[in-house]
Amino acid sequence: MTQQAIRRALISVYDKTGLEALGAGLAAAGVEIVSTGSTAARLREAGVPVTGVEDVTGFPEIMGGRVKTLHPSVHAGLLADQNNPDHVSQIEDLGIAPFDLVVVNLYPFRETVASGASGTECVEQIDIGGPAMVRASAKNHSSVAVVVDPASYDSVLEAVRGGGFTLDRRRRLAGLAFQHTAAYDAAVAEWFSGTYAPDAEAAETAWPDFRAAVHTRKAVLRYGENPHQGAALYVPAGVPAHGLAGAEQLHGKAMSFNNYVDTDAAVRAAHDFDAPCVAVIKHANPCGIAVGADNAEAHRKAHAADPVSAFGGVIATNRPVGEELAAQISEVFTEVVAAPGFEPAALDILTRKKNIRLLKVEAAAGPAVETRLISGGLLAQSVDRIDAPGDAPESWTLATGEPADEATLADLAFAWRAVRAVKSNAILLASDGATVGVGMGQVNRVDSARLAVSRAGDRVAGSVAASDAFFPFPDGLEILTAAGVRAVVQPGGSVRDAEVVAAAEAAGATLYLTGTRHFFH
Ligand SMILES: NC(=O)c1ncn([C@@H]2O[C@H](COP(=O)(O)O)[C@@H](O)[C@H]2O)c1NC=O
């Protein structure tokens, strides 16, 4: 018989959610409850009979609670293997009763750090006695059930009333308990190790020497990048769901691995703009990006940039989806629509398509640091943001040609923001707040320029161009100007800048230098 009847429980919780109902339920089931300081007080107020832990230890809580349950009378009761006659007789001789159920949750360390509290306050919120009890009872799951999540109290009471927990259930609870303490310790260890470098100048000294990332599985995906690859989605443990991984899916088929990758790129691209924006993405590259008076107009322009490629694409917008945009999207086969919200009329229209995935994603604000696995290691870098000094058109240097008029400058600013959504080497042509030709992912900039020009077709004449990094030679720029591009923005910084500037001058084109690069791999 693996079921372990519950006769004695230890409850010590910081988060008192659901405590009274749990205590009352346990007491009604005849369970003796031992409890700490304010947990015991809350239970007593609710009329639940409780033994104070100090009556078990014969020792008062001391030093503001630093020592209250750290005592052999508690820990022998948690660690005694009730199937081991030696353990049973030893605790009997010492007058110690075993615990069958332990309910603990920990001091809010992470929340205290996030509140901006002082170092001393953060240190005081490192729970010591709680993790000790959780780990002891999880180790001893052959005799003890350990519960760390208030959301599971109802099912705990159900088990208690039904005669206790099976060994299998206690083992699963132990696993969850060790996850809980692992995530907790990871947060503490990272905090001691320092914060990540916000920029390259600080990087020398500011990168911490230890990194602890703890994740829990949120979903098993149908397959990975290809059907023969397995895949799953993991989210950071112990923090509220956020970003794309925490998005609410309102409709459609389950998200695939490639859907997540493309949607991540689409959401990032759309939220790079303050104006209503739509990004249509395929294979993590833009088919089209556009801004407009509203996102319905932006979508018309983004879709028109490359209607052939937009088939089966992922659409993200930085504004809620309304009826007009929904009607437009429903005309095109689309895998995913990601937006901060969907109006009811838009949902009415889009949910008529059985498979289309509708995701409510609040904003693109991701972590300050991003990581990438390489063979045998992990690269970490501060995230590229579109708010570097060189990203503001006012800071650009006019290298040659007439200063751009207001409309041209607006298109150049648009192209500069949009080009960072394109995999390097990236050349992006734009006109009237929309991409008209995108050259992406080529191993030299000349081919990217050719690709952008060929995709733009007739629309290249009078368009403007952005290049995500400097032109190493004049040839790439010459392809653009020969095709009719009249203004170009690029970082500059090549040893051959003078030749590139001379080529722009010879073509009568306007050339701005940003001094900032936006590679995207
Ligand atoms: N020091 C100890 O012996 C100790 N024993 C339990 N705790 C924590 O004290 C909290 C509950 O305390 P109270 O019941 O007083 O609200 C729980 O979060 C528990 O994890 C302790 N506190 C910190 O280490």
Side-chain angles (χ1 to χ4, degrees), residues 396-411:
W396 296 350
T397 309
L398 179 64
T400 185
E402 288 294 311
D405 59 35
E406 203 181 318
T408 306
L409 196 61
D411 272 344

Side-chain angles (χ1 to χ4, degrees), residues 10 34 37 39 60 64 80 82 142 223 226 271 319 327 351 375 387 412 424 431 442 453 460 467 494 497:
L10 175 56
V34 176
T39 310
Q82 294 177 42
S142 62
Y223 51 75
N226 298 293
H271 283 273
R319 298 283 194 285
T351 53
S375 159
D387 54 9
L412 283 166
S424 303
S431 194
Q442 304 301 303
V453 165
V460 69
S467 172
S494 158
D497 265 4

Side-chain angles (χ1 to χ4, degrees), residues 77-164:
L78 298 174
L79 281 161
D81 177 353
Q82 294 177 42
N83 304 308
N84 179 330
D86 260 2
H87 287 198
V88 173
S89 71
Q90 280 186 47
I91 60 169
E92 263 174 22
D93 289 351
L94 292 164
I96 296 171
F99 290 103
D100 312 300
L101 173 67
V102 172
V103 181
V104 171
N105 60 59
L106 310 178
Y107 288 174
F109 175 77
R110 230 191 242 103
E111 293 78 358
T112 306
V113 171
S115 74
S118 70
T120 318
E121 288 169 294
C122 294
V123 166
E124 211 46 60
Q125 291 302 321
I126 299 173
D127 201 322
I128 301 299
M133 290 187 288
V134 171
R135 298 181 82 252
S137 23
K139 171 174 175 166
N140 195 29
H141 63 270
S142 62
S143 299
V144 185
V146 54
V147 174
V148 293
D149 181 7
S152 63
Y153 290 171
D154 283 348
S155 69
V156 167
L157 283 177
E158 214 173 287
V160 170
R161 290 184 199 115

Side-chain angles (χ1 to χ4, degrees), residues 12-14 16 35-40 61 65-70 104-107 126-131 133:
S12 179
V13 288
Y14 180 86
K16 309 247 179 338
S35 195
T36 50
S38 64
T39 310
E61 286 190 17
R66 280 195 175 196
V67 176
K68 42 188 169 184
T69 55
L70 295 163
V104 171
N105 60 59
L106 310 178
Y107 288 174
I126 299 173
D127 201 322
I128 301 299
M133 290 187 288

